[in-house]
Amino acid sequence: MNKSLDLIGVDGTSSGWIASIGNSKKKCLSTVIFSANLEKLLSDYPNSVVVIDMPIELNKKNYLRECDVLAKKYLGKNFQSSIFIPPLKKVLKCNTYQEANKLSKQMAGKGLSKQSWYLKDKISEVQSLSKLSINIYEGHPECSFKMLKNEPLKAKKKSVLGIFERLDLLKKAGLDPLSISLNIDNNPSIKIDDILDSMVLFLTALRIVEGSHFCLEKRGISNGDDNGKIFI
């Protein structure tokens, strides 16, 4: 790893994006920032490796992405609900939930969850990033936290126990979450678990650069669909 790269872990909030940013040479996290616009945020870091908690490769026909199925299996039954099924590419273009739900049923035999629909704009933002020459990978914070612990987590991320559990894992991994500069306003949409999620995705970006990551993806013969990958 000779080249110095910006490493960015990104998690979405209801009003924008939280990014934990550091450097591959120093292997440390320097700041956490908030931006309402993802493209504007990332355009300031052209020489970067980005891991984001949002679907990147959407299926055209198959309702389930194999990477999501594998992620649910990896997390175990108590944490499977943190993995949502994203819409098909064509469904993403619908204007109303009713229209999207109907089209999903027609194309894949199953409807669209409200959670997926509410993330439509966020997913579309990520889809539009292809014009930026950055390396962007899909990650999932709960999978990355489990990888750090090397066993199932004890508590859900929004609980007090879950927050302290994740803080401890980040500290053991070499970060000091409470000493990192927070470049964010007093925004009520930003939750502590959003910040911790972005931090653990920063560590995933570091593992990608170092080559110590692993990837959940469909193996074997592909029909051109189901190309999603979740990096851990």
Side-chain angles (χ1 to χ4, degrees), residues 117-181:
W117 176 251
Y118 292 144
L119 288 172
K120 170 181 178 287
D121 291 342
K122 283 278 191 290
I123 297 172
S124 297
E125 257 193 277
V126 175
Q127 298 292 303
S128 69
L129 290 177
S130 56
K131 55 190 173 186
L132 295 180
S133 56
I134 58 174
N135 298 308
I136 184 165
Y137 302 86
E138 179 179 343
H140 192 278
E142 291 295 84
C143 289
S144 291
F145 274 119
K146 183 185 175 182
M147 194 285 304
L148 289 181
K149 190 167 186 178
N150 201 28
E151 63 180 69
L153 297 166
K154 291 181 180 178
K156 299 294 179 69
K157 66 179 185 177
K158 293 184 184 296
S159 68
V160 173
L161 179 60
I163 288 168
F164 275 86
E165 182 180 23
R166 286 156 182 77
L167 281 169
D168 183 58
L169 289 170
L170 290 171
K171 195 160 187 179
K172 287 177 178 175
L175 302 185
D176 187 0
L178 300 182
S179 68
I180 293 166
S181 169

Side-chain angles (χ1 to χ4, degrees), residues 157-226:
K157 66 179 185 177
K158 293 184 184 296
S159 68
V160 173
L161 179 60
I163 288 168
F164 275 86
E165 182 180 23
R166 286 156 182 77
L167 281 169
D168 183 58
L169 289 170
L170 290 171
K171 195 160 187 179
K172 287 177 178 175
L175 302 185
D176 187 0
L178 300 182
S179 68
I180 293 166
S181 169
L182 296 180
N183 188 12
I184 58 177
D185 295 325
N186 188 18
N187 187 329
S189 77
I190 301 172
K191 311 299 182 188
I192 187 169
D193 57 286
D194 298 326
I195 294 175
L196 299 184
D197 284 352
S198 71
M199 287 179 175
V200 80
L201 293 179
F202 161 82
L203 291 174
T204 304
L206 179 59
R207 284 197 299 277
I208 289 172
V209 169
E210 293 178 335
S212 59
H213 68 285
F214 68 94
C215 185
L216 301 175
E217 62 181 318
K218 185 175 183 178
R219 304 287 183 178
I221 299 173
S222 173
N223 60 0
D225 205 4
D226 206 354

Side-chain angles (χ1 to χ4, degrees), residues 7-132:
L7 305 179
I8 308 177
V10 182
D11 192 58
T13 76
S14 59
S15 62
W17 305 87
I18 285 287
S20 288
I21 303 168
N23 184 271
S24 62
K25 281 284 188 183
K26 297 179 181 178
K27 299 185 181 182
C28 65
L29 185 54
S30 57
T31 188
V32 176
I33 66 174
F34 171 83
S35 176
N37 183 278
L38 183 61
E39 183 178 344
K40 184 177 183 301
L41 188 161
L42 296 181
S43 62
D44 290 336
Y45 300 91
N47 189 33
S48 61
V49 172
V50 180
V51 181
I52 189 167
D53 181 19
M54 198 60 61
I56 295 176
E57 290 287 344
L58 301 178
N59 283 0
K60 298 174 183 176
K61 296 180 180 179
N62 297 332
Y63 179 74
L64 293 174
R65 301 191 307 166
E66 183 67 17
C67 63
D68 295 320
V69 174
L70 293 172
K72 284 178 177 286
K73 196 175 294 184
Y74 178 72
L75 289 175
K77 63 180 182 179
N78 292 333
F79 293 88
Q80 289 186 0
S81 61
S82 65
I83 305 289
F84 75 95
I85 306 303
L88 300 176
K89 277 188 178 180
K90 195 171 181 180
V91 172
L92 193 65
K93 297 178 181 179
C94 293
N95 294 317
T96 67
Y97 173 72
Q98 289 74 19
E99 181 186 349
N101 193 42
K102 181 179 179 181
L103 183 58
S104 182
K105 287 178 179 178
Q106 289 173 348
M107 294 183 66
K110 291 187 178 182
L112 184 71
S113 72
K114 285 287 183 70
Q115 182 186 18
S116 292
W117 176 251
Y118 292 144
L119 288 172
K120 170 181 178 287
D121 291 342
K122 283 278 191 290
I123 297 172
S124 297
E125 257 193 277
V126 175
Q127 298 292 303
S128 69
L129 290 177
S130 56
K131 55 190 173 186
L132 295 180

